Amino acid sequence: MTVRVNGRVVTPNGVIRQGCVEWDGNRITAVAEYPSVRDGHWILPGFVDMHTHGGGGHTFTTGEAGQARAAADFHLAHGTTTLLASLVSSPFDLMRQATAAYAPLVAEGVLAGIHFEGPYLSSARCGAQNPEYLRDPSTDELAELIELGEGAVRMVTLAPEREGALEAIKLLTAHRVVAAVGHTDATYDETRAAVAAGASVGTHLLNGMRPVHHREPGPVVALLDAPNVVCELVADGVHLHDGMLTFVTATAGPDRAALITDAMAAAGMPDGEYELGGQAVTVADGVARLARDGAIAGSTLTMDAALRHAVDAGIPMGDAVRMVATTPARAIGLGDRVGALQVGLRADLVVLDDDLNVVRVLRDGSWVE
């Protein structure tokens, strides 16, 4: 049975001011003008969050299926219809446990995949990653996780200057796993070597990276300059100054800039004491920081809030929508399934009011309660 929703439809080609989206079952069947509509709500593709550690008091970082399901439900209510479960640096036993626990959720469609942010990261740029667990990349570990996950492992963030990193990147990309550069003290040339080996994502660009210098551009410039790399951005006004957010977006373009939440369990929760990767986190005024040294420890962001912040910062609505849906979907290899209001893609959409607050969420052809 064909179902329709009318309003201001945001497509990859622009905004249809008087439009409609139709779907039958779980597939979009039409996106078209509908002249009888008078403005109405915004209709956007479902958001795609390629980097989130939890939310609503629940976490992905402990490898527990119940926690993962609840965290995914929390973000779904905020319009995120596709998301990766991101872990932080941890012992290999926990990585294996999480892979086994989350693979059925990926098969079920609750999660779009697993993202290992670490443990193959720089000690000098570890940020809120637990330094106790940092180590050089292991192709043996990665091969075991890929086999165990049977397609569930979708992305791995690593520092390209660590011994064995290029071999790890080649292994990942050979198995269609996205290799991301992050938490790195790499030079410009080391980063370019990682991109040449197959790395295609910059993990929360500028955060957890060697800063730009005019005689050593470092990873930021190398990633921005690479036409095949998508750069993640945390649009919460804490991780990045709005001027940097708009600069990177203008430099890379909305087809190479993806908004992420990098959210942890405290997203949607009161200020207080939390935990991330075995480390104490204090949330005050909505900002999460490690108790031990004040390092930013993820965020309390949701994707609808990230969209609002980007638009308020001056990013055009159409560009911002690509950055919360189309670009991240393509970055993690799902652009042929989700991320845009196009005929044939999965029927995922978000209805927003004039203030860009979520009114309704459709996932896989069904309205979310």
Side-chain angles (χ1 to χ4, degrees):
M1 180 180 70
T2 299
V3 187
R4 174 190 300 130
V5 63
N6 304 324
R8 289 167 284 179
V9 180
V10 183
T11 77
N13 299 318
V15 178
I16 305 175
R17 303 297 300 186
Q18 296 173 283
C20 73
V21 179
E22 295 182 352
W23 64 94
D24 190 346
N26 69 346
R27 296 290 160 185
I28 296 173
T29 55
V31 180
E33 292 186 3
Y34 201 71
S36 63
V37 174
R38 296 300 174 198
D39 285 332
H41 291 314
W42 289 99
I43 303 172
L44 279 56
F47 305 143
V48 179
D49 192 352
M50 58 192 284
H51 186 157
T52 177
H53 300 288
H58 308 282
T59 184
F60 294 125
T61 61
T62 56
E64 299 171 69
Q67 286 275 317
R69 190 181 293 275
D73 284 345
F74 166 78
H75 284 288
L76 179 59
H78 288 271
T80 298
T81 53
T82 301
L83 89 169
L84 299 186
S86 300
L87 283 88
V88 292
S89 296
S90 56
F92 183 60
D93 283 348
L94 177 53
M95 298 170 74
R96 192 166 44 210
Q97 171 193 324
T99 303
Y102 294 168
L105 298 183
V106 175
E108 185 182 339
V110 174
L111 305 174
I114 301 165
H115 166 216
F116 289 110
E117 188 183 12
Y120 316 123
L121 308 175
S122 164
S123 298
R125 304 290 175 188
C126 65
Q129 298 282 334
N130 194 329
E132 178 182 348
Y133 302 131
L134 302 183
R135 56 190 185 273
D136 289 334
S138 166
T139 52
D140 289 342
E141 289 184 355
L142 289 170
E144 184 174 340
L145 294 172
I146 291 168
E147 182 177 4
L148 178 63
E150 297 183 326
V153 178
R154 179 68 59 172
M155 183 163 69
V156 176
T157 297
L158 47 73
E161 71 273 21
R162 296 209 70 137
E163 185 175 350
L166 297 186
E167 291 77 9
I169 291 170
K170 291 173 184 176
L171 172 74
L172 292 168
T173 54
H175 288 86
R176 297 186 178 180
V177 178
V178 176
V181 173
H183 287 281
T184 176
D185 200 40
T187 65
Y188 176 81
D189 289 337
E190 287 170 332
T191 307
R192 283 173 58 88
V195 173
S200 58
V201 166
T203 294
H204 47 51
L205 193 80
L206 293 150
N207 297 114
M209 290 184 179
R210 176 197 289 250
V212 176
H213 187 278
H214 56 286
R215 284 189 293 273
E216 172 43 69
V220 174
V221 174
L223 294 166
L224 273 176
D225 196 42
N228 61 316
V229 170
V230 170
C231 299
E232 296 180 348
L233 300 168
V234 187
D236 62 354
V238 177
H239 282 75
L240 298 173
H241 187 283
D242 285 353
M244 186 60 76
L245 172 67
T246 55
F247 170 77
V248 171
T249 300
T251 302
D255 292 327
R256 287 188 48 230
L259 299 187
I260 60 167
T261 63
D262 196 17
M264 47 90 72
M269 300 295 288
D271 287 352
E273 304 303 316
Y274 294 87
E275 181 270 346
L276 182 67
Q279 301 182 101
V281 173
T282 299
V283 178
D285 297 326
V287 179
R289 295 185 181 274
L290 284 186
R292 62 175 167 82
D293 64 4
I296 296 174
S299 84
T300 59
L301 195 60
T302 54
M303 287 296 274
D304 56 329
L307 175 73
R308 288 191 294 271
H309 190 100
V311 171
D312 287 345
I315 295 174
M317 182 67 167
D319 290 351
V321 170
R322 290 214 293 279
M323 293 165 68
V324 295
T326 314
T327 299
R330 179 173 47 81
I332 58 175
L334 298 176
D336 60 342
R337 304 182 210 175
V338 297
L341 296 179
Q342 290 182 322
V343 172
L345 298 192
R346 196 173 75 190
D348 294 348
L349 59 83
V350 185
V351 180
L352 304 180
D353 63 19
D354 286 343
D355 296 320
L356 306 186
N357 294 308
V358 174
V359 176
R360 299 184 80 185
V361 179
L362 183 86
R363 187 184 188 280
D364 203 27
S366 297
W367 292 109
V368 174
E369 294 297 329

